[in-house]
Amino acid sequence: MLPESTRRNFLGTMGRFGGIAVAALITGFDPAGRTWVADHAQRSSAIRIPKLKGRLIFDQADRSAAADDFGHIVHHLPQAVLQPGDIEDVAVMLRFCRAHRIPAAPRGQAHATNGQAQVTDGLVIETATLDAIDVGQGEVTVGAGARWSSVLRATLPTGQTPPVLTDYLELSVGGTLSVGGIGGQTQHFGAQVDNVVELEVVTGVGERMVCSPSRHPDLYHAALAGLGQCAVIVRATLPLQPAPVNVRHYILSYSSFDAMAADQRRVLADGRFSFLEGEAQAMPDGSPGWQFFIEAGAYFDGTAPDDQALIGDLAYQRGSEQIDTIGYFDFLDRLAPAVAFLESSGEWFDPHPWWNVFVPSSAADDFVTSVMAGLTEPDIGASGVILIYPLRHAVLRTPLLRIPGEETVFLFSILRTAAPDTGAISADAMISANRKLFDQASRLGGFQYPIGTIPFTQADWRAHYGREWPFFAAARRRYDPRGILTPGQGIFTSDEAERMPL
């Protein structure tokens, strides 16, 4: 029997590619015809594919998988998929792509919802094989493809933890650092992009570069929350801090957003909780309206914290509180059972037109209350989730993570699931609603957190980045002058970078 790697490459070349039946291993690229070929030596215009430690894959199954994401809405089919054997493979292939104007995009766990990591007729770089983790004292160096759950499992035996984790731990490090990375600890430490010691990236010209706040700072700030427009993050060094053993976990119920938000602002200001978020859920008895919940955690090692001291002065609905103690990792990984259920029911694979916006605190009460009054369960889907929690502007320092300028901002997320068998409205209707809600939020000073499904034009992106646009555009021209990187975001045209002044 053939080895698996040989078998897969052989099967891939036996498939159909670009409408042409391929009977031998792909060995080259023909720039004249913009096709990958199996007989490069017999074509004067063809160029041999560079030698790689990993694999360049052309079979239909892998290409189709790379043309999907968690949104299950957008499907852009690439010509090839790279599974790099090391970082140098990424550099080699990006040099090749740059020379031949082949668009390329990195893909971590594909948890985007609108084709952000997809590319038509180009190369998708699967970073999952770049998953090495090296734990030190006070910091950890990780490959971009490592999942945050794996990072935690590596650091916790040493008594250390990253300061900020996303709610869902099965996201890649490179993926969240390309966007932002928000979680319940963000109130204290900022986003994940605000907690990066150093990056190694590969630029759009295929150059490997190490950057930090003091070393190529323009590239560092263009890569963090830069949506893959200037470079592919391949490795990151992250700070660590002492890890707690346990979490005192609180879920507090409120009848209105105003009441919940008042307590959220209070505990945000005094910092009494280690972890702070908020959520809205449909009424359990099926009646119209929504319940609101603060979810909070107090981290500790020895004696549990005093419940009365932490929640006694809050205005939650007495008798509805849920309080328990849970281990630190189990707390951070608390979504795993729900995800397993959604996978088993099939809803995990339904369309997910998500909406995520940062709203200024001064407008939050009226805006959120108005939006929630107009929402019904079919508008978000039976497994849809609504998150609403406060953040401090002072700790959110990354330039390309765009947030309102007020001292306190709210992340308002409507994580829709368009599951037709549950009575939800269609994905198209959800996307249309997303745009209308964004326009309302934008007029109030809100900014998109760009992981969701809000249709954006290039004019929208310019408005989104505002005063940061000249910096971002200059970095794009400097580090990806041919504009090959991550076209699925729709921020720049393919040739716009070449026309932008430095």
Side-chain angles (χ1 to χ4, degrees):
M1 180 178 289
L2 289 171
E4 176 64 14
S5 60
T6 303
R7 186 183 72 83
R8 290 190 68 184
N9 279 326
F10 179 74
L11 289 175
T13 59
M14 290 300 291
R16 295 192 63 83
F17 182 75
I20 301 173
V22 183
L25 292 177
I26 297 290
T27 61
F29 178 76
D30 184 355
R34 308 297 299 166
T35 59
W36 302 84
V37 297
D39 54 350
H40 80 280
Q42 300 178 31
R43 299 194 185 192
S44 59
S45 60
I47 300 166
R48 184 175 181 83
I49 295 173
K51 290 185 178 180
L52 302 168
K53 292 183 179 178
R55 301 193 304 157
L56 197 59
I57 302 171
F58 301 90
D59 69 88
Q60 183 69 33
D62 282 284
R63 292 166 54 224
S64 295
D68 193 18
D69 55 28
F70 185 66
H72 308 301
I73 297 166
V74 175
H75 302 281
H76 297 309
L77 188 69
Q79 289 186 341
V81 176
L82 173 66
Q83 293 179 344
D86 59 11
I87 291 173
E88 188 59 24
D89 277 358
V90 179
V92 167
M93 282 309 301
L94 284 182
R95 288 195 291 270
F96 189 85
C97 288
R98 188 242 183 181
H100 304 295
R101 291 183 177 272
I102 300 170
R107 181 178 190 265
Q109 292 301 313
H111 208 69
T113 66
N114 200 38
Q116 289 95 329
Q118 297 177 29
V119 56
T120 301
D121 292 335
L123 177 70
V124 167
I125 301 167
E126 291 189 344
T127 63
T129 54
L130 304 177
D131 60 353
I133 301 173
D134 182 15
V135 182
Q137 189 58 43
E139 61 184 36
V140 59
T141 298
V142 300
R147 302 184 188 195
W148 286 100
S149 60
S150 299
V151 175
L152 266 179
R153 289 188 176 98
T155 63
L156 286 180
T158 71
Q160 301 179 98
T161 180
V164 180
L165 283 305
T166 51
D167 288 338
Y168 182 50
L169 295 181
E170 304 308 320
L171 305 176
S172 70
V173 170
T176 63
L177 294 185
S178 295
V179 178
I182 305 294
Q185 309 95 332
T186 293
Q187 56 162 332
H188 294 298
F189 303 109
Q192 289 178 325
V193 289
D194 298 306
N195 293 273
V196 179
V197 176
E198 185 178 86
L199 291 174
E200 182 172 359
V201 304
V202 181
T203 68
V205 298
E207 183 179 4
R208 292 175 62 173
M209 297 183 69
V210 174
C211 54
S212 70
S214 60
R215 184 179 183 184
H216 305 297
D218 63 328
L219 179 56
Y220 174 84
H221 291 300
L224 291 171
L227 306 180
Q229 297 303 292
C230 301
V232 175
I233 296 172
V234 290
R235 185 156 53 198
T237 300
L238 312 170
L240 297 175
Q241 62 185 29
V245 175
N246 295 309
V247 180
R248 191 68 167 161
H249 184 205
Y250 303 90
I251 298 178
L252 311 176
S253 177
Y254 296 81
S255 61
S256 70
F257 173 72
D258 288 2
M260 180 186 75
D263 274 358
Q264 283 183 319
R265 292 184 179 97
R266 182 174 190 173
V267 299
L268 179 74
D270 62 33
R272 71 180 72 178
F273 292 114
S274 311
F275 178 100
L276 176 63
E277 293 189 357
E279 185 176 346
Q281 296 179 4
M283 298 295 289
D285 58 2
S287 60
W290 301 87
Q291 283 185 309
F292 297 86
F293 300 88
I294 284 179
E295 182 176 24
Y299 299 165
F300 69 99
D301 293 336
T303 304
D306 183 337
D307 295 338
Q308 180 63 25
L310 284 173
I311 67 173
D313 60 341
L314 302 182
Y316 63 91
Q317 294 177 310
R318 293 299 191 268
S320 66
E321 64 270 25
Q322 302 173 49
I323 306 173
D324 63 350
T325 296
I326 188 171
Y328 179 65
F329 180 85
D330 290 338
F331 171 72
L332 294 175
D333 199 35
R334 67 198 180 283
L335 293 187
V339 171
F341 172 77
L342 293 174
E343 288 177 338
S344 68
S345 71
E347 288 183 76
W348 192 254
F349 309 102
D350 285 323
H352 292 91
W354 283 7
W355 184 89
N356 305 266
V357 170
F358 295 112
V359 180
S361 179
S362 62
D365 288 24
D366 289 344
F367 178 65
V368 174
T369 299
S370 173
V371 171
M372 295 304 300
L375 280 181
T376 64
E377 189 170 331
D379 293 322
I380 68 168
S383 61
V385 176
I386 297 176
L387 301 175
I388 318 162
Y389 53 93
L391 307 168
R392 293 191 300 125
H393 184 282
V395 297
L396 296 163
R397 303 177 301 276
T398 299
L400 294 184
L401 181 61
R402 305 292 288 141
I403 59 172
E406 294 186 2
E407 182 179 352
T408 300
V409 301
F410 280 82
L411 176 62
F412 185 14
S413 298
I414 305 175
L415 308 184
R416 307 179 194 257
T417 302
D421 55 340
T422 65
I425 64 174
S426 69
D428 287 345
M430 289 181 176
I431 294 169
S432 177
N434 283 351
R435 179 66 209 208
K436 291 177 181 176
L437 284 181
F438 170 76
D439 288 341
Q440 294 176 36
S442 179
R443 289 192 289 269
L444 299 172
F447 286 89
Q448 179 187 184
Y449 179 44
I451 63 172
T453 315
I454 302 174
F456 252 38
T457 66
Q458 288 171 339
D460 290 326
W461 283 116
R462 285 178 178 264
H464 173 81
Y465 286 108
R467 66 178 183 274
E468 299 297 337
W469 178 260
F471 157 75
F472 197 21
R476 170 78 164 190
R477 182 176 185 271
R478 181 174 295 115
Y479 296 110
D480 183 23
R482 285 198 166 178
I484 65 169
L485 288 179
T486 322
Q489 297 283 2
I491 300 173
F492 300 101
T493 62
S494 59
D495 64 343
E496 186 172 5
E498 294 187 77
R499 295 186 282 103
M500 292 184 296
L502 280 172

